[in-house]
Amino acid sequence: MSINQGGKPMAGETDAPRVLRLTFEFHVPRGLRTNIRNERRDAAITSLIGTVQSLAHRLFPWADSMTVRREWSYAWVDETERIELPENDLNTRKPR
């Protein structure tokens, strides 16, 4: 990082957008026979958002906003697969 005469980073080095993304997923066990009521779910979401918001100014003092994504879905298909790609000169660690 280059520092100007005022001791601050030079323009362009702090212009990159920076985002800290934390994802929490709450899963309902398969076969659980309960009706997840919208009002209770929405109240839980509101409470969780309020708690995070109240901690954010102390834990992330550099942040000027936070984004909350709400999604409620029936995940009939939810698969993640890791696929290894062939090794090449650019993706393989070189022995020392």
Side-chain angles (χ1 to χ4, degrees):
M1 176 186 312
S2 301
I3 306 294
N4 68 15
Q5 289 181 344
K8 297 187 178 188
M10 295 189 60
E13 294 194 24
T14 59
D15 292 344
R18 293 175 283 177
V19 176
L20 170 63
R21 180 174 293 127
L22 305 172
T23 302
F24 300 92
E25 293 184 358
F26 300 92
H27 296 260
V28 178
R30 286 180 180 253
L32 184 66
R33 294 189 132 348
T34 187
N35 186 359
I36 310 296
R37 304 248 180 237
N38 289 339
E39 299 83 23
R40 184 166 183 188
R41 189 183 67 238
D42 289 344
I45 291 168
T46 300
S47 179
L48 189 56
I49 291 169
T51 300
V52 171
Q53 186 176 3
S54 69
L55 293 171
H57 76 281
R58 184 168 50 91
L59 300 175
F60 307 111
W62 57 87
D64 67 350
S65 66
M66 70 181 213
T67 301
V68 178
R69 178 181 176 204
R70 299 176 188 211
E71 179 184 357
W72 177 250
S73 65
Y74 290 88
W76 297 114
V77 176
D78 185 4
E79 299 174 356
T80 302
E81 182 178 358
R82 180 181 170 98
I83 300 172
E84 300 293 332
L85 299 175
E87 290 183 6
N88 63 50
D89 288 341
L90 299 176
N91 71 3
T92 305
R93 183 177 260 182
K94 309 287 186 269
R96 291 183 184 214

XYZ file of all heavy atoms in Angstrom:
784
model
N 0.840 -1.170 0.000
C 0.000 0.000 0.000
C 0.885 1.233 0.000
O 1.805 1.327 0.786
C -0.912 -0.009 1.230
C -1.734 1.235 1.333
S -2.733 1.405 2.837
C -3.532 -0.134 2.968
N 0.568 2.167 -0.855
C 1.320 3.421 -0.924
C 0.676 4.443 0.001
O -0.537 4.563 0.059
C 1.312 3.950 -2.353
O 1.878 3.000 -3.219
N 1.507 5.186 0.714
C 1.023 6.197 1.643
C 1.416 7.572 1.112
O 2.549 7.776 0.696
C 1.639 5.992 3.051
C 1.392 4.574 3.555
C 1.151 7.033 4.036
C -0.053 4.242 3.821
N 0.459 8.521 1.137
C 0.787 9.874 0.686
C 1.443 10.648 1.823
O 1.622 10.138 2.924
C -0.455 10.581 0.125
C -1.492 10.888 1.192
O -1.230 10.844 2.385
N -2.690 11.197 0.745
N 1.793 11.918 1.577
C 2.510 12.713 2.576
C 1.686 12.949 3.831
O 2.221 13.158 4.901
C 2.945 14.046 1.975
C 4.059 13.879 0.958
C 4.500 15.209 0.382
O 3.821 16.220 0.506
N 5.657 15.203 -0.266
N 0.367 12.890 3.703
C -0.498 13.076 4.877
C -0.641 11.811 5.707
O -1.340 11.788 6.707
N 0.009 10.724 5.286
C -0.052 9.477 6.035
C -1.270 8.632 5.733
O -1.560 7.682 6.440
N -2.002 8.988 4.674
C -3.197 8.248 4.314
C -2.953 7.435 3.051
O -2.115 7.808 2.228
C -4.371 9.204 4.098
C -4.721 9.943 5.364
C -5.974 10.743 5.213
C -6.283 11.406 6.553
N -7.531 12.048 6.586
N -3.685 6.323 2.872
C -3.521 5.548 1.644
C -3.819 6.406 0.426
O -4.683 7.287 0.463
C -4.559 4.436 1.775
C -4.868 4.360 3.225
C -4.670 5.752 3.765
N -3.099 6.170 -0.645
C -3.297 6.938 -1.864
C -4.631 6.563 -2.504
O -5.105 5.447 -2.348
C -2.137 6.701 -2.826
C -0.830 7.237 -2.264
S 0.535 7.228 -3.397
C -0.029 8.260 -4.710
N -5.211 7.515 -3.222
C -6.488 7.288 -3.906
C -6.400 6.066 -4.792
O -5.378 5.808 -5.414
C -6.863 8.521 -4.725
N -7.473 5.332 -4.873
C -7.513 4.139 -5.706
C -7.267 2.875 -4.912
O -7.746 1.826 -5.257
N -6.517 2.974 -3.823
C -6.219 1.780 -3.034
C -7.310 1.470 -2.029
O -7.372 0.374 -1.502
C -4.866 1.928 -2.345
C -3.734 1.962 -3.352
C -2.384 1.759 -2.719
O -2.314 1.173 -1.637
O -1.405 2.183 -3.334
N -8.178 2.419 -1.747
C -9.296 2.165 -0.839
C -10.630 2.294 -1.571
O -11.674 2.273 -0.941
C -9.279 3.133 0.360
O -9.358 4.475 -0.137
C -8.046 2.943 1.201
N -10.591 2.440 -2.884
C -11.812 2.613 -3.664
C -12.494 1.294 -4.002
O -13.615 1.285 -4.460
C -11.523 3.355 -4.976
C -11.132 4.807 -4.718
O -11.384 5.302 -3.606
O -10.574 5.421 -5.628
N -11.814 0.172 -3.801
C -12.399 -1.124 -4.140
C -13.570 -1.412 -3.201
O -13.461 -1.198 -1.993
C -11.355 -2.224 -4.028
N -14.692 -1.886 -3.735
C -15.820 -2.213 -2.860
C -15.457 -3.388 -1.958
O -14.902 -4.380 -2.409
C -16.936 -2.592 -3.839
C -16.254 -2.901 -5.115
C -14.972 -2.164 -5.135
N -15.732 -3.239 -0.691
C -15.420 -4.291 0.267
C -16.700 -4.675 0.999
O -17.430 -3.811 1.477
C -14.364 -3.810 1.252
C -13.017 -3.585 0.571
C -12.016 -3.014 1.505
N -12.288 -1.574 1.674
C -11.604 -0.790 2.494
N -10.650 -1.289 3.239
N -11.893 0.480 2.572
N -16.942 -5.968 1.096
C -18.159 -6.481 1.715
C -17.802 -7.679 2.577
O -17.075 -8.565 2.139
C -19.182 -6.934 0.639
C -20.404 -7.564 1.281
C -19.584 -5.778 -0.253
N -18.297 -7.704 3.791
C -18.207 -8.875 4.642
C -19.570 -9.544 4.589
O -20.583 -8.928 4.943
C -17.869 -8.485 6.088
C -17.976 -9.602 7.119
C -16.969 -10.716 6.815
C -17.773 -9.051 8.513
N -19.626 -10.779 4.113
C -20.898 -11.481 4.000
C -20.904 -12.658 4.956
O -20.024 -13.506 4.920
C -21.105 -11.984 2.578
C -22.422 -12.731 2.402
C -22.684 -13.099 0.951
N -22.894 -11.890 0.171
C -22.227 -11.583 -0.949
N -21.317 -12.399 -1.426
N -22.471 -10.468 -1.591
N -21.888 -12.692 5.833
C -22.108 -13.803 6.745
C -23.453 -14.410 6.390
O -24.434 -13.681 6.226
C -22.132 -13.326 8.200
C -20.911 -12.546 8.686
C -21.168 -11.980 10.067
C -19.702 -13.452 8.688
N -23.507 -15.710 6.270
C -24.751 -16.371 5.903
C -25.146 -17.346 7.003
O -24.325 -18.152 7.437
C -24.583 -17.144 4.578
O -24.176 -16.231 3.562
C -25.868 -17.814 4.159
N -26.365 -17.251 7.442
C -26.911 -18.187 8.409
C -28.097 -18.880 7.755
O -28.942 -18.211 7.155
C -27.395 -17.461 9.671
C -26.320 -16.703 10.383
C -26.093 -15.373 10.098
C -25.535 -17.329 11.331
C -25.103 -14.666 10.753
C -24.539 -16.634 11.992
C -24.320 -15.295 11.712
N -28.160 -20.170 7.854
C -29.304 -20.926 7.345
C -29.870 -21.739 8.493
O -29.138 -22.431 9.198
C -28.886 -21.862 6.210
C -28.444 -21.143 4.966
C -28.117 -22.095 3.828
O -28.199 -23.338 4.023
O -27.775 -21.607 2.748
N -31.160 -21.657 8.686
C -31.842 -22.424 9.712
C -32.701 -23.466 8.999
O -33.592 -23.116 8.235
C -32.701 -21.505 10.582
C -31.878 -20.449 11.280
C -31.682 -19.206 10.702
C -31.291 -20.726 12.498
C -30.916 -18.246 11.334
C -30.518 -19.763 13.140
C -30.332 -18.521 12.556
N -32.406 -24.730 9.251
C -33.079 -25.822 8.546
C -34.109 -26.491 9.452
O -33.829 -26.764 10.621
C -32.053 -26.870 8.093
C -31.075 -26.331 7.107
N -31.202 -26.547 5.754
C -29.973 -25.558 7.255
C -30.212 -25.937 5.123
N -29.456 -25.328 6.015
N -35.281 -26.750 8.899
C -36.319 -27.497 9.594
C -36.089 -28.973 9.268
O -35.968 -29.336 8.097
C -37.729 -27.061 9.124
C -38.799 -27.883 9.810
C -37.929 -25.571 9.384
N -35.981 -29.843 10.283
C -35.720 -31.255 10.010
C -36.804 -31.883 9.136
O -37.988 -31.581 9.292
C -35.722 -31.904 11.400
C -35.535 -30.780 12.360
C -36.106 -29.562 11.705
N -36.372 -32.742 8.229
C -37.331 -33.470 7.389
C -38.274 -34.267 8.272
O -37.864 -34.852 9.269
C -36.604 -34.425 6.453
C -35.910 -33.737 5.311
C -35.204 -34.779 4.432
N -34.534 -34.125 3.340
C -34.966 -34.173 2.072
N -36.035 -34.859 1.764
N -34.312 -33.530 1.133
N -39.524 -34.271 7.885
C -40.520 -35.059 8.601
C -41.094 -34.384 9.835
O -41.995 -34.932 10.460
N -40.585 -33.202 10.208
C -41.124 -32.505 11.372
C -42.527 -32.026 11.040
O -42.736 -31.240 10.127
C -40.231 -31.322 11.746
C -40.646 -30.564 13.006
C -40.484 -31.462 14.233
C -39.830 -29.301 13.160
N -43.483 -32.509 11.776
C -44.872 -32.187 11.497
C -45.308 -30.982 12.328
O -45.907 -31.121 13.378
C -45.759 -33.385 11.783
C -45.510 -34.550 10.843
C -46.535 -35.596 11.016
N -47.246 -36.211 9.932
C -47.337 -35.899 8.656
N -46.734 -34.860 8.204
N -48.039 -36.603 7.805
N -44.932 -29.824 11.847
C -45.344 -28.579 12.490
C -45.558 -27.524 11.416
O -44.902 -27.546 10.383
C -44.299 -28.111 13.527
O -44.815 -26.992 14.231
C -42.997 -27.723 12.870
N -46.497 -26.659 11.669
C -46.783 -25.572 10.741
C -45.954 -24.363 11.169
O -46.119 -23.859 12.274
C -48.284 -25.248 10.764
C -48.659 -24.233 9.707
O -47.822 -23.756 8.961
N -49.936 -23.909 9.656
N -45.052 -23.932 10.323
C -44.224 -22.766 10.624
C -45.046 -21.533 10.260
O -45.196 -21.194 9.096
C -42.903 -22.791 9.811
C -42.193 -24.138 9.936
C -42.010 -21.629 10.234
C -41.719 -24.507 11.313
N -45.606 -20.912 11.242
C -46.493 -19.759 11.026
C -45.705 -18.534 10.584
O -44.639 -18.240 11.133
C -47.258 -19.441 12.300
C -48.039 -20.608 12.840
C -49.502 -20.337 12.715
N -50.262 -21.450 13.234
C -51.149 -22.098 12.518
N -51.369 -21.753 11.272
N -51.836 -23.090 13.038
N -46.262 -17.825 9.601
C -45.600 -16.629 9.070
C -45.317 -15.596 10.147
O -44.239 -15.004 10.174
C -46.438 -15.999 7.961
C -46.439 -16.838 6.700
O -45.554 -17.653 6.484
N -47.452 -16.645 5.868
N -46.285 -15.372 11.040
C -46.114 -14.340 12.067
C -44.948 -14.679 12.996
O -44.153 -13.809 13.348
C -47.402 -14.188 12.906
C -48.617 -13.772 12.111
C -49.324 -14.948 11.427
O -49.173 -16.114 11.867
O -50.008 -14.696 10.427
N -44.849 -15.932 13.398
C -43.757 -16.325 14.305
C -42.412 -16.251 13.593
O -41.427 -15.791 14.159
C -44.016 -17.729 14.830
C -42.987 -18.139 15.841
C -43.379 -19.347 16.602
N -42.360 -19.625 17.601
C -42.332 -20.692 18.331
N -43.271 -21.594 18.209
N -41.371 -20.876 19.205
N -42.371 -16.707 12.345
C -41.136 -16.645 11.569
C -40.706 -15.201 11.375
O -39.534 -14.855 11.582
C -41.328 -17.342 10.226
C -40.039 -17.509 9.439
C -40.267 -18.128 8.074
N -41.023 -17.218 7.234
C -42.201 -17.509 6.669
N -42.750 -18.677 6.841
N -42.826 -16.620 5.927
N -41.641 -14.324 11.005
C -41.320 -12.913 10.791
C -40.852 -12.236 12.078
O -39.934 -11.416 12.059
C -42.516 -12.168 10.207
C -42.794 -12.559 8.763
O -41.894 -13.167 8.117
O -43.894 -12.267 8.267
N -41.454 -12.595 13.210
C -41.033 -12.029 14.493
C -39.613 -12.472 14.828
O -38.805 -11.679 15.325
C -41.998 -12.441 15.600
N -39.284 -13.728 14.550
C -37.929 -14.237 14.804
C -36.922 -13.511 13.920
O -35.829 -13.138 14.381
C -37.877 -15.740 14.562
N -37.277 -13.293 12.655
C -36.389 -12.585 11.733
C -36.155 -11.156 12.206
O -35.015 -10.683 12.256
C -36.979 -12.594 10.300
C -36.949 -14.010 9.732
C -36.225 -11.627 9.395
C -37.759 -14.179 8.457
N -37.215 -10.474 12.589
C -37.114 -9.097 13.069
C -36.228 -9.025 14.305
O -35.381 -8.132 14.432
C -38.510 -8.530 13.367
O -39.280 -8.549 12.151
C -38.446 -7.116 13.907
N -36.390 -9.984 15.213
C -35.573 -10.013 16.423
C -34.099 -10.252 16.103
O -33.214 -9.584 16.659
C -36.092 -11.112 17.354
O -35.316 -11.189 18.512
N -33.836 -11.185 15.204
C -32.452 -11.487 14.827
C -31.799 -10.286 14.138
O -30.657 -9.930 14.451
C -32.422 -12.711 13.912
C -31.062 -13.298 13.581
C -30.281 -13.660 14.830
C -31.231 -14.530 12.709
N -32.527 -9.633 13.251
C -32.000 -8.437 12.576
C -31.694 -7.344 13.597
O -30.635 -6.717 13.552
C -32.992 -7.924 11.508
C -33.059 -8.900 10.349
C -32.597 -6.525 11.025
C -34.190 -8.615 9.372
N -32.603 -7.126 14.535
C -32.392 -6.103 15.560
C -31.171 -6.381 16.417
O -30.402 -5.473 16.757
N -30.971 -7.649 16.744
C -29.808 -8.026 17.547
C -28.514 -7.777 16.789
O -27.560 -7.204 17.332
C -29.912 -9.504 17.967
O -31.111 -9.681 18.730
C -28.715 -9.931 18.780
N -28.468 -8.196 15.534
C -27.266 -7.977 14.725
C -27.021 -6.481 14.540
O -25.896 -6.005 14.666
C -27.374 -8.700 13.364
C -26.233 -8.305 12.444
C -27.408 -10.210 13.562
N -28.080 -5.737 14.265
C -27.949 -4.295 14.067
C -27.417 -3.614 15.331
O -26.571 -2.721 15.246
C -29.303 -3.713 13.679
C -29.267 -2.255 13.310
C -30.620 -1.754 12.847
O -31.612 -2.499 12.859
N -30.682 -0.514 12.449
N -27.874 -4.050 16.500
C -27.414 -3.423 17.738
C -25.951 -3.730 18.040
O -25.281 -2.960 18.720
C -28.297 -3.846 18.918
O -28.102 -5.215 19.220
N -25.443 -4.854 17.543
C -24.037 -5.205 17.745
C -23.127 -4.645 16.660
O -21.932 -4.458 16.878
C -23.878 -6.729 17.767
C -24.503 -7.462 18.948
C -24.450 -8.964 18.702
C -23.795 -7.095 20.228
N -23.683 -4.358 15.500
C -22.877 -3.991 14.330
C -22.030 -2.747 14.553
O -20.864 -2.709 14.155
C -23.775 -3.807 13.113
N -22.573 -1.728 15.182
C -21.804 -0.484 15.348
C -20.559 -0.698 16.205
O -19.563 -0.012 16.029
C -22.685 0.620 15.940
C -22.953 0.480 17.397
N -23.897 -0.386 17.893
C -22.372 1.067 18.462
C -23.896 -0.310 19.214
N -22.983 0.556 19.583
N -20.598 -1.675 17.113
C -19.445 -1.946 17.969
C -18.488 -2.937 17.319
O -17.276 -2.781 17.387
C -19.928 -2.504 19.309
C -18.812 -2.737 20.309
C -19.330 -3.019 21.705
N -20.349 -4.044 21.764
C -20.094 -5.344 21.952
N -18.863 -5.767 22.069
N -21.082 -6.204 22.022
N -19.033 -3.961 16.664
C -18.197 -5.011 16.092
C -17.649 -4.661 14.717
O -16.581 -5.119 14.339
C -18.992 -6.322 16.020
C -19.486 -6.862 17.362
C -20.355 -8.088 17.151
C -18.319 -7.163 18.275
N -18.403 -3.891 13.951
C -18.001 -3.492 12.599
C -18.125 -1.976 12.464
O -18.936 -1.475 11.681
C -18.876 -4.187 11.548
C -18.932 -5.679 11.697
C -20.096 -6.310 12.099
C -17.813 -6.456 11.435
C -20.149 -7.687 12.238
C -17.857 -7.837 11.586
C -19.025 -8.459 11.984
N -17.322 -1.213 13.198
C -17.483 0.248 13.215
C -17.220 0.902 11.866
O -17.616 2.044 11.648
C -16.478 0.707 14.277
C -15.472 -0.381 14.348
C -16.213 -1.655 14.028
N -16.567 0.228 10.959
C -16.265 0.788 9.645
C -17.445 0.658 8.684
O -17.457 1.273 7.638
C -15.037 0.093 9.051
C -15.228 -1.393 8.967
C -15.806 -2.083 7.938
C -14.898 -2.371 9.938
N -15.858 -3.424 8.216
C -15.294 -3.636 9.457
C -14.308 -2.313 11.198
C -15.117 -4.810 10.166
C -14.128 -3.489 11.899
C -14.528 -4.717 11.379
N -18.442 -0.139 9.029
C -19.576 -0.365 8.123
C -20.552 0.799 8.175
O -20.821 1.354 9.237
C -20.288 -1.663 8.496
N -21.103 1.165 7.003
C -22.093 2.237 6.966
C -23.496 1.720 6.674
O -24.454 2.473 6.704
C -21.700 3.319 5.959
C -21.734 2.844 4.510
O -21.887 1.628 4.279
O -21.607 3.691 3.620
N -23.629 0.427 6.380
C -24.949 -0.159 6.148
C -24.837 -1.672 6.236
O -23.743 -2.226 6.246
C -25.495 0.243 4.768
O -24.696 -0.321 3.747
N -25.983 -2.323 6.315
C -26.022 -3.780 6.247
C -27.216 -4.172 5.392
O -28.212 -3.454 5.329
C -26.080 -4.437 7.625
C -27.351 -4.285 8.392
S -27.212 -5.114 10.000
C -28.897 -5.644 10.218
N -27.079 -5.267 4.698
C -28.133 -5.768 3.833
C -28.673 -7.052 4.425
O -27.901 -7.907 4.856
C -27.572 -6.057 2.420
O -27.024 -4.848 1.898
C -28.644 -6.578 1.488
N -29.975 -7.171 4.461
C -30.610 -8.376 4.991
C -31.398 -9.029 3.868
O -32.223 -8.382 3.228
C -31.554 -8.035 6.165
C -32.250 -9.282 6.677
C -30.782 -7.344 7.279
N -31.103 -10.284 3.614
C -31.832 -11.047 2.595
C -32.720 -12.050 3.309
O -32.249 -12.815 4.141
C -30.854 -11.777 1.689
C -31.554 -12.629 0.651
C -30.571 -13.362 -0.220
N -31.299 -14.226 -1.136
C -30.778 -15.300 -1.695
N -29.519 -15.622 -1.457
N -31.488 -16.037 -2.501
N -33.996 -12.043 2.990
C -34.947 -12.995 3.561
C -35.378 -13.959 2.470
O -35.762 -13.538 1.384
C -36.195 -12.293 4.078
C -35.929 -11.302 5.163
C -37.213 -10.600 5.513
N -36.948 -9.500 6.426
C -37.797 -9.092 7.341
N -38.966 -9.667 7.461
N -37.490 -8.097 8.123
N -35.312 -15.218 2.781
C -35.758 -16.233 1.820
C -36.393 -17.361 2.599
O -35.831 -17.859 3.570
C -34.574 -16.760 1.017
C -34.948 -17.825 0.023
C -33.758 -18.421 -0.710
O -32.626 -17.960 -0.485
O -33.971 -19.356 -1.486
N -37.574 -17.764 2.188
C -38.262 -18.911 2.777
C -38.649 -19.802 1.617
O -39.356 -19.375 0.713
C -39.494 -18.461 3.552
C -40.297 -19.585 4.127
C -41.537 -19.982 3.717
C -39.947 -20.446 5.216
N -41.972 -21.036 4.472
C -40.997 -21.348 5.408
C -38.828 -20.552 6.032
C -40.979 -22.328 6.392
C -38.811 -21.524 7.003
C -39.876 -22.391 7.180
N -38.136 -21.013 1.613
C -38.408 -21.859 0.457
C -38.508 -23.320 0.863
O -38.050 -23.719 1.932
C -37.295 -21.698 -0.588
O -36.072 -22.175 -0.069
N -39.118 -24.066 -0.001
C -39.131 -25.511 0.127
C -38.011 -26.023 -0.767
O -38.100 -25.960 -1.979
C -40.489 -26.081 -0.302
C -41.560 -25.733 0.690
C -42.270 -24.544 0.597
C -41.825 -26.588 1.751
C -43.237 -24.217 1.524
C -42.792 -26.268 2.684
C -43.501 -25.080 2.573
O -44.449 -24.755 3.500
N -36.948 -26.472 -0.155
C -35.757 -26.887 -0.893
C -35.889 -28.351 -1.301
O -35.254 -29.229 -0.731
C -34.508 -26.661 -0.044
N -36.733 -28.595 -2.280
C -36.935 -29.968 -2.735
C -35.646 -30.548 -3.293
O -35.353 -31.712 -3.115
C -38.023 -30.025 -3.798
C -39.362 -29.589 -3.290
C -40.049 -28.484 -3.681
C -40.166 -30.208 -2.276
N -41.230 -28.373 -2.984
C -41.326 -29.428 -2.121
C -40.012 -31.340 -1.486
C -42.329 -29.756 -1.208
C -41.015 -31.659 -0.585
C -42.156 -30.882 -0.463
N -34.897 -29.709 -3.973
C -33.591 -30.124 -4.468
C -32.586 -29.093 -3.973
O -32.720 -27.905 -4.243
C -33.564 -30.193 -6.015
C -32.175 -30.535 -6.499
C -34.591 -31.186 -6.526
N -31.606 -29.552 -3.224
C -30.571 -28.666 -2.703
C -29.291 -29.481 -2.619
O -29.056 -30.185 -1.648
C -30.966 -28.129 -1.332
C -29.969 -27.110 -0.807
O -29.017 -26.762 -1.533
O -30.137 -26.666 0.331
N -28.504 -29.412 -3.662
C -27.290 -30.211 -3.738
C -26.098 -29.314 -4.017
O -26.200 -28.359 -4.767
C -27.389 -31.250 -4.863
C -28.508 -32.242 -4.676
C -28.673 -33.167 -5.875
O -27.976 -32.989 -6.887
O -29.532 -34.052 -5.797
N -24.993 -29.631 -3.402
C -23.737 -28.953 -3.672
C -22.729 -30.019 -4.035
O -22.611 -31.019 -3.332
C -23.249 -28.165 -2.444
O -24.254 -27.226 -2.075
C -21.947 -27.451 -2.730
N -22.037 -29.812 -5.121
C -21.063 -30.793 -5.576
C -19.749 -30.088 -5.856
O -19.709 -29.063 -6.513
C -21.570 -31.463 -6.861
C -20.674 -32.535 -7.393
C -21.249 -33.205 -8.639
O -22.376 -32.848 -9.056
O -20.565 -34.058 -9.192
N -18.684 -30.634 -5.322
C -17.350 -30.103 -5.602
C -16.746 -30.960 -6.704
O -16.696 -32.184 -6.583
C -16.476 -30.151 -4.357
C -15.087 -29.622 -4.594
C -14.249 -29.716 -3.327
N -12.863 -29.440 -3.593
C -12.270 -28.275 -3.400
N -12.958 -27.265 -2.926
N -10.990 -28.112 -3.670
N -16.286 -30.323 -7.750
C -15.704 -31.022 -8.894
C -14.256 -30.598 -9.025
O -13.952 -29.411 -9.159
C -16.481 -30.703 -10.190
C -17.938 -31.158 -10.027
C -15.811 -31.339 -11.392
C -18.846 -30.729 -11.144
N -13.370 -31.562 -8.941
C -11.942 -31.284 -9.085
C -11.617 -31.088 -10.559
O -12.070 -31.857 -11.412
C -11.116 -32.446 -8.527
C -11.357 -32.730 -7.052
C -10.870 -31.623 -6.132
O -9.915 -30.913 -6.506
O -11.449 -31.477 -5.042
N -10.843 -30.076 -10.847
C -10.426 -29.801 -12.217
C -9.015 -30.329 -12.431
O -8.245 -30.480 -11.473
C -10.491 -28.301 -12.487
C -11.890 -27.687 -12.336
C -11.816 -26.180 -12.494
C -12.856 -28.293 -13.326
N -8.650 -30.606 -13.672
C -7.308 -31.115 -13.936
C -6.236 -30.129 -13.476
O -6.419 -28.910 -13.563
C -7.263 -31.271 -15.455
C -8.679 -31.251 -15.913
C -9.446 -30.484 -14.891
N -5.149 -30.662 -12.982
C -4.045 -29.817 -12.555
C -3.381 -29.172 -13.762
O -3.321 -29.765 -14.836
C -3.003 -30.647 -11.798
C -3.480 -31.122 -10.456
C -2.405 -31.870 -9.690
O -1.245 -31.933 -10.159
O -2.726 -32.389 -8.608
N -2.895 -27.936 -13.542
C -2.108 -27.250 -14.564
C -1.102 -26.355 -13.856
O -1.064 -26.300 -12.624
C -3.014 -26.466 -15.532
C -3.780 -25.373 -14.838
O -3.220 -24.566 -14.109
N -5.090 -25.345 -15.061
N -0.292 -25.656 -14.609
C 0.765 -24.829 -14.019
C 0.218 -23.689 -13.161
O 0.898 -23.197 -12.266
C 1.671 -24.251 -15.107
C 2.563 -25.309 -15.736
O 2.749 -26.377 -15.105
O 3.079 -25.070 -16.832
N -1.005 -23.243 -13.431
C -1.540 -22.093 -12.718
C -2.311 -22.464 -11.455
O -2.488 -21.635 -10.582
C -2.437 -21.276 -13.652
C -1.739 -20.707 -14.889
C -2.738 -20.004 -15.776
C -0.603 -19.776 -14.491
N -2.813 -23.698 -11.353
C -3.624 -24.049 -10.188
C -2.965 -25.071 -9.270
O -3.600 -25.619 -8.392
C -5.007 -24.546 -10.614
C -4.988 -25.909 -11.259
O -3.947 -26.570 -11.360
N -6.137 -26.360 -11.726
N -1.699 -25.329 -9.465
C -0.993 -26.342 -8.676
C 0.150 -25.694 -7.911
O 0.927 -24.919 -8.468
C -0.416 -27.449 -9.603
O -1.477 -27.967 -10.385
C 0.209 -28.564 -8.797
N 0.216 -25.998 -6.633
C 1.283 -25.459 -5.781
C 2.615 -26.076 -6.197
O 2.727 -27.269 -6.412
C 0.979 -25.800 -4.338
C 1.956 -25.231 -3.362
C 1.544 -25.554 -1.984
N 0.896 -24.352 -1.455
C 0.427 -24.258 -0.234
N 0.455 -25.289 0.562
N -0.105 -23.154 0.181
N 3.597 -25.238 -6.326
C 4.935 -25.679 -6.748
C 5.725 -26.166 -5.539
O 5.713 -25.508 -4.496
C 5.707 -24.524 -7.406
C 4.957 -23.815 -8.513
C 4.873 -24.668 -9.754
C 4.263 -23.908 -10.905
N 2.854 -23.998 -11.039
N 6.415 -27.316 -5.633
C 7.250 -27.759 -4.509
C 8.430 -26.826 -4.325
O 8.945 -26.270 -5.289
C 7.714 -29.157 -4.924
C 7.478 -29.245 -6.391
C 6.451 -28.218 -6.757
N 8.861 -26.653 -3.097
C 9.965 -25.730 -2.802
C 11.276 -26.442 -2.857
O 11.499 -27.516 -2.600
C 9.789 -25.094 -1.451
C 8.627 -24.156 -1.463
C 8.512 -23.484 -0.127
N 7.309 -22.658 -0.135
C 7.208 -21.546 0.493
N 8.205 -21.095 1.202
N 6.108 -20.848 0.462
